[in-house]
PDB file of all heavy atoms in Angstrom:
ATOM      1  N   VAL A  43       0.796  10.794 -15.645  1.00 98.00           N
ATOM      2  CA  VAL A  43       1.488  10.344 -14.432  1.00 98.00           C
ATOM      3  C   VAL A  43       2.529  11.389 -14.046  1.00 98.00           C
ATOM      4  O   VAL A  43       3.440  11.678 -14.827  1.00 98.00           O
ATOM      5  CB  VAL A  43       2.171   8.979 -14.660  1.00 98.00           C
ATOM      6  CG1 VAL A  43       2.765   8.467 -13.340  1.00 98.00           C
ATOM      7  CG2 VAL A  43       1.175   7.983 -15.230  1.00 98.00           C
ATOM      8  N   GLY A  44       2.372  11.965 -12.839  1.00 98.00           N
ATOM      9  CA  GLY A  44       3.311  12.988 -12.369  1.00 98.00           C
ATOM     10  C   GLY A  44       2.590  14.304 -12.121  1.00 98.00           C
ATOM     11  O   GLY A  44       1.465  14.517 -12.614  1.00 98.00           O
ATOM     12  N   SER A  45       3.238  15.177 -11.333  1.00 98.00           N
ATOM     13  CA  SER A  45       2.664  16.512 -11.124  1.00 98.00           C
ATOM     14  C   SER A  45       3.755  17.568 -11.174  1.00 98.00           C
ATOM     15  O   SER A  45       3.693  18.584 -10.496  1.00 98.00           O
ATOM     16  CB  SER A  45       1.925  16.575  -9.787  1.00 98.00           C
ATOM     17  OG  SER A  45       2.844  16.328  -8.738  1.00 98.00           O
ATOM     18  N   GLY A  46       4.786  17.308 -11.976  1.00 98.00           N
ATOM     19  CA  GLY A  46       5.805  18.336 -12.213  1.00 98.00           C
ATOM     20  C   GLY A  46       5.315  19.265 -13.315  1.00 98.00           C
ATOM     21  O   GLY A  46       4.170  19.174 -13.775  1.00 98.00           O
ATOM     22  N   PRO A  47       6.186  20.175 -13.767  1.00 98.00           N
ATOM     23  CA  PRO A  47       5.777  21.106 -14.821  1.00 98.00           C
ATOM     24  C   PRO A  47       5.307  20.421 -16.095  1.00 98.00           C
ATOM     25  O   PRO A  47       4.336  20.858 -16.715  1.00 98.00           O
ATOM     26  CB  PRO A  47       7.024  21.945 -15.067  1.00 98.00           C
ATOM     27  CG  PRO A  47       8.140  21.293 -14.328  1.00 98.00           C
ATOM     28  CD  PRO A  47       7.539  20.434 -13.268  1.00 98.00           C
ATOM     29  N   ALA A  48       5.959  19.306 -16.484  1.00 98.00           N
ATOM     30  CA  ALA A  48       5.559  18.641 -17.735  1.00 98.00           C
ATOM     31  C   ALA A  48       4.136  18.118 -17.606  1.00 98.00           C
ATOM     32  O   ALA A  48       3.305  18.290 -18.508  1.00 98.00           O
ATOM     33  CB  ALA A  48       6.524  17.507 -18.063  1.00 98.00           C
ATOM     34  N   ALA A  49       3.838  17.477 -16.489  1.00 98.00           N
ATOM     35  CA  ALA A  49       2.505  16.894 -16.297  1.00 98.00           C
ATOM     36  C   ALA A  49       1.435  17.973 -16.241  1.00 98.00           C
ATOM     37  O   ALA A  49       0.400  17.891 -16.931  1.00 98.00           O
ATOM     38  CB  ALA A  49       2.478  16.086 -15.000  1.00 98.00           C
ATOM     39  N   CYS A  66      -2.327  11.630 -12.004  1.00 98.00           N
ATOM     40  CA  CYS A  66      -1.988  10.799 -10.837  1.00 98.00           C
ATOM     41  C   CYS A  66      -0.600  11.177 -10.359  1.00 98.00           C
ATOM     42  O   CYS A  66       0.369  11.076 -11.137  1.00 98.00           O
ATOM     43  CB  CYS A  66      -1.941   9.322 -11.218  1.00 98.00           C
ATOM     44  SG  CYS A  66      -3.549   8.635 -11.561  1.00 98.00           S
ATOM     45  N   THR A  67      -0.486  11.575  -9.106  1.00 98.00           N
ATOM     46  CA  THR A  67       0.843  11.896  -8.596  1.00 98.00           C
ATOM     47  C   THR A  67       1.099  11.178  -7.281  1.00 98.00           C
ATOM     48  O   THR A  67       0.214  11.087  -6.422  1.00 98.00           O
ATOM     49  CB  THR A  67       1.043  13.420  -8.464  1.00 98.00           C
ATOM     50  OG1 THR A  67       2.403  13.660  -8.107  1.00 98.00           O
ATOM     51  CG2 THR A  67       0.108  14.062  -7.451  1.00 98.00           C
ATOM     52  N   ALA A  68       2.324  10.682  -7.141  1.00 98.00           N
ATOM     53  CA  ALA A  68       2.650   9.822  -6.001  1.00 98.00           C
ATOM     54  C   ALA A  68       2.649  10.590  -4.679  1.00 98.00           C
ATOM     55  O   ALA A  68       2.288  10.047  -3.636  1.00 98.00           O
ATOM     56  CB  ALA A  68       4.018   9.189  -6.242  1.00 98.00           C
ATOM     57  N   GLU A  69       3.028  11.855  -4.721  1.00 98.00           N
ATOM     58  CA  GLU A  69       3.229  12.615  -3.480  1.00 98.00           C
ATOM     59  C   GLU A  69       1.967  13.352  -3.050  1.00 98.00           C
ATOM     60  O   GLU A  69       0.969  13.362  -3.775  1.00 98.00           O
ATOM     61  CB  GLU A  69       4.351  13.650  -3.700  1.00 98.00           C
ATOM     62  CG  GLU A  69       5.661  13.056  -4.154  1.00 98.00           C
ATOM     63  CD  GLU A  69       6.367  12.264  -3.078  1.00 98.00           C
ATOM     64  OE1 GLU A  69       6.120  12.546  -1.887  1.00 98.00           O
ATOM     65  OE2 GLU A  69       7.150  11.368  -3.422  1.00 98.00           O
ATOM     66  N   ARG A  77      14.816  23.569  -6.890  1.00 95.00           N
ATOM     67  CA  ARG A  77      15.072  22.937  -8.190  1.00 95.00           C
ATOM     68  C   ARG A  77      15.179  23.990  -9.298  1.00 95.00           C
ATOM     69  O   ARG A  77      16.050  24.843  -9.246  1.00 95.00           O
ATOM     70  CB  ARG A  77      14.002  21.884  -8.488  1.00 95.00           C
ATOM     71  CG  ARG A  77      14.051  20.753  -7.452  1.00 95.00           C
ATOM     72  CD  ARG A  77      13.006  19.694  -7.669  1.00 95.00           C
ATOM     73  NE  ARG A  77      13.196  18.959  -8.913  1.00 95.00           N
ATOM     74  CZ  ARG A  77      12.368  18.013  -9.344  1.00 95.00           C
ATOM     75  NH1 ARG A  77      11.289  17.702  -8.645  1.00 95.00           N
ATOM     76  NH2 ARG A  77      12.611  17.368 -10.459  1.00 95.00           N
ATOM     77  N   ALA A  78      14.293  23.967 -10.310  1.00 94.00           N
ATOM     78  CA  ALA A  78      14.431  24.953 -11.393  1.00 94.00           C
ATOM     79  C   ALA A  78      14.074  26.342 -10.865  1.00 94.00           C
ATOM     80  O   ALA A  78      13.016  26.522 -10.265  1.00 94.00           O
ATOM     81  CB  ALA A  78      13.527  24.586 -12.548  1.00 94.00           C
ATOM     82  N   ILE A  79      14.961  27.310 -11.111  1.00 96.00           N
ATOM     83  CA  ILE A  79      14.694  28.656 -10.578  1.00 96.00           C
ATOM     84  C   ILE A  79      14.678  29.722 -11.662  1.00 96.00           C
ATOM     85  O   ILE A  79      14.303  30.859 -11.397  1.00 96.00           O
ATOM     86  CB  ILE A  79      15.733  29.075  -9.510  1.00 96.00           C
ATOM     87  CG1 ILE A  79      17.155  28.928 -10.058  1.00 96.00           C
ATOM     88  CG2 ILE A  79      15.546  28.281  -8.225  1.00 96.00           C
ATOM     89  CD1 ILE A  79      18.191  29.632  -9.206  1.00 96.00           C
ATOM     90  N   GLN A 138      10.872  26.603  -7.998  1.00 97.00           N
ATOM     91  CA  GLN A 138       9.960  25.653  -8.650  1.00 97.00           C
ATOM     92  C   GLN A 138       8.699  25.373  -7.831  1.00 97.00           C
ATOM     93  O   GLN A 138       7.629  25.171  -8.405  1.00 97.00           O
ATOM     94  CB  GLN A 138      10.712  24.332  -8.943  1.00 97.00           C
ATOM     95  CG  GLN A 138       9.853  23.303  -9.653  1.00 97.00           C
ATOM     96  CD  GLN A 138      10.654  22.243 -10.404  1.00 97.00           C
ATOM     97  OE1 GLN A 138      11.810  22.448 -10.751  1.00 97.00           O
ATOM     98  NE2 GLN A 138      10.042  21.102 -10.660  1.00 97.00           N
ATOM     99  N   ASN A 161      -1.482   9.146  -5.494  1.00 98.00           N
ATOM    100  CA  ASN A 161      -1.800   8.020  -6.383  1.00 98.00           C
ATOM    101  C   ASN A 161      -0.548   7.671  -7.185  1.00 98.00           C
ATOM    102  O   ASN A 161      -0.175   8.390  -8.123  1.00 98.00           O
ATOM    103  CB  ASN A 161      -2.944   8.378  -7.329  1.00 98.00           C
ATOM    104  CG  ASN A 161      -4.317   8.222  -6.689  1.00 98.00           C
ATOM    105  OD1 ASN A 161      -5.238   7.690  -7.291  1.00 98.00           O
ATOM    106  ND2 ASN A 161      -4.465   8.680  -5.448  1.00 98.00           N
ATOM    107  N   LYS A 162       0.077   6.569  -6.821  1.00 98.00           N
ATOM    108  CA  LYS A 162       1.328   6.184  -7.481  1.00 98.00           C
ATOM    109  C   LYS A 162       1.046   5.114  -8.532  1.00 98.00           C
ATOM    110  O   LYS A 162       0.442   4.086  -8.223  1.00 98.00           O
ATOM    111  CB  LYS A 162       2.284   5.628  -6.429  1.00 98.00           C
ATOM    112  CG  LYS A 162       3.609   5.216  -6.980  1.00 98.00           C
ATOM    113  CD  LYS A 162       4.540   4.781  -5.870  1.00 98.00           C
ATOM    114  CE  LYS A 162       5.897   4.434  -6.488  1.00 98.00           C
ATOM    115  NZ  LYS A 162       6.844   4.058  -5.471  1.00 98.00           N
ATOM    116  N   VAL A 163       1.489   5.365  -9.743  1.00 98.00           N
ATOM    117  CA  VAL A 163       1.297   4.372 -10.810  1.00 98.00           C
ATOM    118  C   VAL A 163       2.432   3.352 -10.704  1.00 98.00           C
ATOM    119  O   VAL A 163       3.612   3.712 -10.787  1.00 98.00           O
ATOM    120  CB  VAL A 163       1.266   5.061 -12.198  1.00 98.00           C
ATOM    121  CG1 VAL A 163       1.258   4.032 -13.312  1.00 98.00           C
ATOM    122  CG2 VAL A 163       0.041   5.955 -12.293  1.00 98.00           C
ATOM    123  N   ALA A 194       4.908  11.434 -17.357  1.00 98.00           N
ATOM    124  CA  ALA A 194       5.634  12.653 -16.995  1.00 98.00           C
ATOM    125  C   ALA A 194       6.174  12.428 -15.586  1.00 98.00           C
ATOM    126  O   ALA A 194       6.058  13.280 -14.713  1.00 98.00           O
ATOM    127  CB  ALA A 194       4.709  13.868 -17.056  1.00 98.00           C
ATOM    128  N   ASP A 195       6.709  11.209 -15.383  1.00 98.00           N
ATOM    129  CA  ASP A 195       7.101  10.811 -14.031  1.00 98.00           C
ATOM    130  C   ASP A 195       8.575  11.075 -13.743  1.00 98.00           C
ATOM    131  O   ASP A 195       9.163  10.441 -12.868  1.00 98.00           O
ATOM    132  CB  ASP A 195       6.713   9.338 -13.757  1.00 98.00           C
ATOM    133  CG  ASP A 195       7.249   8.362 -14.807  1.00 98.00           C
ATOM    134  OD1 ASP A 195       7.576   8.818 -15.921  1.00 98.00           O
ATOM    135  OD2 ASP A 195       7.327   7.162 -14.522  1.00 98.00           O
ATOM    136  N   GLY A 196       9.165  12.036 -14.458  1.00 97.00           N
ATOM    137  CA  GLY A 196      10.456  12.575 -14.057  1.00 97.00           C
ATOM    138  C   GLY A 196      11.660  11.760 -14.517  1.00 97.00           C
ATOM    139  O   GLY A 196      11.543  10.733 -15.182  1.00 97.00           O
ATOM    140  N   ILE A 220      24.056  22.066  -5.337  1.00 95.00           N
ATOM    141  CA  ILE A 220      23.171  23.233  -5.369  1.00 95.00           C
ATOM    142  C   ILE A 220      22.808  23.501  -3.921  1.00 95.00           C
ATOM    143  O   ILE A 220      22.294  22.605  -3.252  1.00 95.00           O
ATOM    144  CB  ILE A 220      21.840  22.946  -6.075  1.00 95.00           C
ATOM    145  CG1 ILE A 220      22.039  22.345  -7.448  1.00 95.00           C
ATOM    146  CG2 ILE A 220      20.991  24.171  -6.159  1.00 95.00           C
ATOM    147  CD1 ILE A 220      20.705  22.034  -8.122  1.00 95.00           C
ATOM    148  N   ARG A 258      20.899  31.140  -4.557  1.00 97.00           N
ATOM    149  CA  ARG A 258      21.402  29.824  -4.991  1.00 97.00           C
ATOM    150  C   ARG A 258      22.912  29.912  -5.142  1.00 97.00           C
ATOM    151  O   ARG A 258      23.424  30.807  -5.824  1.00 97.00           O
ATOM    152  CB  ARG A 258      20.754  29.479  -6.338  1.00 97.00           C
ATOM    153  CG  ARG A 258      21.414  28.394  -7.176  1.00 97.00           C
ATOM    154  CD  ARG A 258      21.104  26.988  -6.757  1.00 97.00           C
ATOM    155  NE  ARG A 258      19.709  26.659  -6.657  1.00 97.00           N
ATOM    156  CZ  ARG A 258      18.989  26.028  -7.610  1.00 97.00           C
ATOM    157  NH1 ARG A 258      19.551  25.712  -8.751  1.00 97.00           N
ATOM    158  NH2 ARG A 258      17.725  25.719  -7.405  1.00 97.00           N
ATOM    159  N   TRP A 300      18.184  24.346   1.608  1.00 97.00           N
ATOM    160  CA  TRP A 300      18.109  23.069   0.902  1.00 97.00           C
ATOM    161  C   TRP A 300      19.385  22.872   0.123  1.00 97.00           C
ATOM    162  O   TRP A 300      19.975  23.837  -0.352  1.00 97.00           O
ATOM    163  CB  TRP A 300      16.911  23.136  -0.055  1.00 97.00           C
ATOM    164  CG  TRP A 300      16.771  22.024  -1.043  1.00 97.00           C
ATOM    165  CD1 TRP A 300      16.340  20.761  -0.779  1.00 97.00           C
ATOM    166  CD2 TRP A 300      17.028  22.070  -2.459  1.00 97.00           C
ATOM    167  NE1 TRP A 300      16.304  20.024  -1.944  1.00 97.00           N
ATOM    168  CE2 TRP A 300      16.716  20.797  -2.994  1.00 97.00           C
ATOM    169  CE3 TRP A 300      17.475  23.050  -3.342  1.00 97.00           C
ATOM    170  CZ2 TRP A 300      16.849  20.478  -4.348  1.00 97.00           C
ATOM    171  CZ3 TRP A 300      17.610  22.739  -4.693  1.00 97.00           C
ATOM    172  CH2 TRP A 300      17.297  21.475  -5.175  1.00 97.00           C
ATOM    173  N   SER A 302      21.481  19.910  -2.617  1.00 96.00           N
ATOM    174  CA  SER A 302      21.359  18.693  -3.403  1.00 96.00           C
ATOM    175  C   SER A 302      22.589  18.593  -4.304  1.00 96.00           C
ATOM    176  O   SER A 302      23.347  19.560  -4.429  1.00 96.00           O
ATOM    177  CB  SER A 302      20.081  18.772  -4.239  1.00 96.00           C
ATOM    178  OG  SER A 302      19.922  17.624  -5.017  1.00 96.00           O
ATOM    179  N   GLY A 323       8.883  15.610 -20.834  1.00 98.00           N
ATOM    180  CA  GLY A 323       9.700  16.207 -19.767  1.00 98.00           C
ATOM    181  C   GLY A 323      10.909  15.325 -19.465  1.00 98.00           C
ATOM    182  O   GLY A 323      11.450  14.648 -20.346  1.00 98.00           O
ATOM    183  N   ASP A 324      11.322  15.346 -18.186  1.00 97.00           N
ATOM    184  CA  ASP A 324      12.525  14.599 -17.803  1.00 97.00           C
ATOM    185  C   ASP A 324      12.376  13.094 -17.998  1.00 97.00           C
ATOM    186  O   ASP A 324      13.374  12.382 -18.081  1.00 97.00           O
ATOM    187  CB  ASP A 324      12.861  14.866 -16.325  1.00 97.00           C
ATOM    188  CG  ASP A 324      13.563  16.198 -16.115  1.00 97.00           C
ATOM    189  OD1 ASP A 324      13.688  16.969 -17.096  1.00 97.00           O
ATOM    190  OD2 ASP A 324      13.983  16.480 -14.980  1.00 97.00           O
ATOM    191  N   ILE A 331      21.382  21.180 -16.708  1.00 70.00           N
ATOM    192  CA  ILE A 331      20.596  22.346 -16.316  1.00 70.00           C
ATOM    193  C   ILE A 331      21.321  23.657 -16.639  1.00 70.00           C
ATOM    194  O   ILE A 331      20.731  24.715 -16.555  1.00 70.00           O
ATOM    195  CB  ILE A 331      20.162  22.297 -14.833  1.00 70.00           C
ATOM    196  CG1 ILE A 331      21.368  22.272 -13.901  1.00 70.00           C
ATOM    197  CG2 ILE A 331      19.266  21.110 -14.589  1.00 70.00           C
ATOM    198  CD1 ILE A 331      20.961  22.277 -12.434  1.00 70.00           C
ATOM    199  N   VAL A 334      19.664  26.824 -18.256  1.00 69.00           N
ATOM    200  CA  VAL A 334      18.275  26.748 -17.756  1.00 69.00           C
ATOM    201  C   VAL A 334      17.377  25.864 -18.630  1.00 69.00           C
ATOM    202  O   VAL A 334      16.363  26.280 -19.135  1.00 69.00           O
ATOM    203  CB  VAL A 334      17.659  28.152 -17.536  1.00 69.00           C
ATOM    204  CG1 VAL A 334      18.493  28.928 -16.550  1.00 69.00           C
ATOM    205  CG2 VAL A 334      17.516  28.993 -18.799  1.00 69.00           C
ATOM    206  N   ARG A 335      17.774  24.606 -18.739  1.00 75.00           N
ATOM    207  CA  ARG A 335      17.066  23.758 -19.693  1.00 75.00           C
ATOM    208  C   ARG A 335      16.076  22.790 -19.066  1.00 75.00           C
ATOM    209  O   ARG A 335      15.348  22.128 -19.787  1.00 75.00           O
ATOM    210  CB  ARG A 335      18.081  22.996 -20.523  1.00 75.00           C
ATOM    211  CG  ARG A 335      18.802  23.979 -21.420  1.00 75.00           C
ATOM    212  CD  ARG A 335      19.825  23.329 -22.267  1.00 75.00           C
ATOM    213  NE  ARG A 335      20.195  24.212 -23.325  1.00 75.00           N
ATOM    214  CZ  ARG A 335      21.245  25.005 -23.315  1.00 75.00           C
ATOM    215  NH1 ARG A 335      22.030  25.055 -22.281  1.00 75.00           N
ATOM    216  NH2 ARG A 335      21.518  25.774 -24.341  1.00 75.00           N
ATOM    217  N   GLY A 336      16.057  22.643 -17.731  1.00 85.00           N
ATOM    218  CA  GLY A 336      15.185  21.638 -17.119  1.00 85.00           C
ATOM    219  C   GLY A 336      13.715  21.907 -17.372  1.00 85.00           C
ATOM    220  O   GLY A 336      13.106  21.389 -18.318  1.00 85.00           O
ATOM    221  N   ALA A 337      13.124  22.740 -16.529  1.00 92.00           N
ATOM    222  CA  ALA A 337      11.692  22.999 -16.633  1.00 92.00           C
ATOM    223  C   ALA A 337      11.345  23.758 -17.917  1.00 92.00           C
ATOM    224  O   ALA A 337      10.266  23.568 -18.484  1.00 92.00           O
ATOM    225  CB  ALA A 337      11.219  23.791 -15.422  1.00 92.00           C
ATOM    226  N   ALA A 340      10.686  21.330 -20.432  1.00 96.00           N
ATOM    227  CA  ALA A 340       9.448  20.601 -20.094  1.00 96.00           C
ATOM    228  C   ALA A 340       8.212  21.392 -20.534  1.00 96.00           C
ATOM    229  O   ALA A 340       7.232  20.823 -21.026  1.00 96.00           O
ATOM    230  CB  ALA A 340       9.394  20.318 -18.594  1.00 96.00           C
TER     231      ALA A 340
HETATM  232  C1  FAD B 618      17.709  18.261  -7.321  1.00 91.64           C
HETATM  233  C2  FAD B 618      17.292  18.917  -8.595  1.00 91.64           C
HETATM  234  C3  FAD B 618      17.727  20.183  -8.904  1.00 91.64           C
HETATM  235  C4  FAD B 618      17.349  20.788 -10.092  1.00 91.64           C
HETATM  236  N1  FAD B 618      17.791  22.040 -10.368  1.00 91.64           N
HETATM  237  C5  FAD B 618      17.423  22.625 -11.524  1.00 91.64           C
HETATM  238  C6  FAD B 618      17.855  23.928 -11.854  1.00 91.64           C
HETATM  239  O1  FAD B 618      18.586  24.556 -11.101  1.00 91.64           O
HETATM  240  N2  FAD B 618      17.446  24.476 -13.034  1.00 91.64           N
HETATM  241  C7  FAD B 618      16.640  23.788 -13.911  1.00 91.64           C
HETATM  242  O2  FAD B 618      16.274  24.315 -14.968  1.00 91.64           O
HETATM  243  N3  FAD B 618      16.222  22.565 -13.612  1.00 91.64           N
HETATM  244  C8  FAD B 618      16.596  21.965 -12.461  1.00 91.64           C
HETATM  245  N4  FAD B 618      16.179  20.725 -12.174  1.00 91.64           N
HETATM  246  C9  FAD B 618      15.398  20.025 -13.200  1.00 91.64           C
HETATM  247  C10 FAD B 618      13.927  20.405 -13.152  1.00 91.64           C
HETATM  248  O3  FAD B 618      13.473  20.374 -11.826  1.00 91.64           O
HETATM  249  C11 FAD B 618      13.215  19.385 -14.024  1.00 91.64           C
HETATM  250  O4  FAD B 618      13.781  19.457 -15.326  1.00 91.64           O
HETATM  251  C12 FAD B 618      11.751  19.623 -14.152  1.00 91.64           C
HETATM  252  O5  FAD B 618      11.115  19.549 -12.902  1.00 91.64           O
HETATM  253  C13 FAD B 618      11.199  18.557 -15.102  1.00 91.64           C
HETATM  254  O6  FAD B 618       9.857  18.476 -14.958  1.00 91.64           O
HETATM  255  P1  FAD B 618       9.088  17.095 -15.125  1.00 91.64           P
HETATM  256  O7  FAD B 618       7.659  17.455 -14.942  1.00 91.64           O
HETATM  257  O8  FAD B 618       9.505  16.409 -16.354  1.00 91.64           O
HETATM  258  O9  FAD B 618       9.582  16.148 -13.937  1.00 91.64           O
HETATM  259  P2  FAD B 618       9.509  16.332 -12.370  1.00 91.64           P
HETATM  260  O10 FAD B 618       9.392  17.742 -12.002  1.00 91.64           O
HETATM  261  O11 FAD B 618      10.641  15.556 -11.815  1.00 91.64           O
HETATM  262  O12 FAD B 618       8.142  15.644 -11.974  1.00 91.64           O
HETATM  263  C14 FAD B 618       7.975  14.251 -11.928  1.00 91.64           C
HETATM  264  C15 FAD B 618       6.681  13.977 -11.178  1.00 91.64           C
HETATM  265  O13 FAD B 618       6.345  12.607 -11.271  1.00 91.64           O
HETATM  266  C16 FAD B 618       5.901  12.156  -9.994  1.00 91.64           C
HETATM  267  N5  FAD B 618       6.067  10.701 -10.025  1.00 91.64           N
HETATM  268  C17 FAD B 618       7.208   9.993 -10.182  1.00 91.64           C
HETATM  269  N6  FAD B 618       6.925   8.673 -10.231  1.00 91.64           N
HETATM  270  C18 FAD B 618       5.574   8.561 -10.135  1.00 91.64           C
HETATM  271  C19 FAD B 618       4.689   7.458 -10.145  1.00 91.64           C
HETATM  272  N7  FAD B 618       5.124   6.213 -10.287  1.00 91.64           N
HETATM  273  N8  FAD B 618       3.361   7.669 -10.015  1.00 91.64           N
HETATM  274  C20 FAD B 618       2.898   8.933  -9.881  1.00 91.64           C
HETATM  275  N9  FAD B 618       3.692  10.035  -9.857  1.00 91.64           N
HETATM  276  C21 FAD B 618       5.023   9.831  -9.994  1.00 91.64           C
HETATM  277  C22 FAD B 618       6.792  12.909  -9.034  1.00 91.64           C
HETATM  278  O14 FAD B 618       6.251  12.923  -7.727  1.00 91.64           O
HETATM  279  C23 FAD B 618       6.735  14.291  -9.685  1.00 91.64           C
HETATM  280  O15 FAD B 618       5.558  14.952  -9.363  1.00 91.64           O
HETATM  281  C24 FAD B 618      16.524  20.103 -10.993  1.00 91.64           C
HETATM  282  C25 FAD B 618      16.079  18.826 -10.671  1.00 91.64           C
HETATM  283  C26 FAD B 618      16.457  18.226  -9.495  1.00 91.64           C
HETATM  284  C27 FAD B 618      15.965  16.841  -9.183  1.00 91.64           C
END
Side-chain angles (χ1 to χ4, degrees):
V43 186
S45 62
C66 289
T67 186
E69 303 289 335
R77 297 179 65 183
I79 53 166
Q138 182 158 338
N161 278 224
K162 181 175 183 178
V163 172
D195 54 340
I220 308 179
R258 162 80 54 98
W300 170 75
S302 180
D324 281 6
I331 61 178
V334 301
R335 291 180 164 97

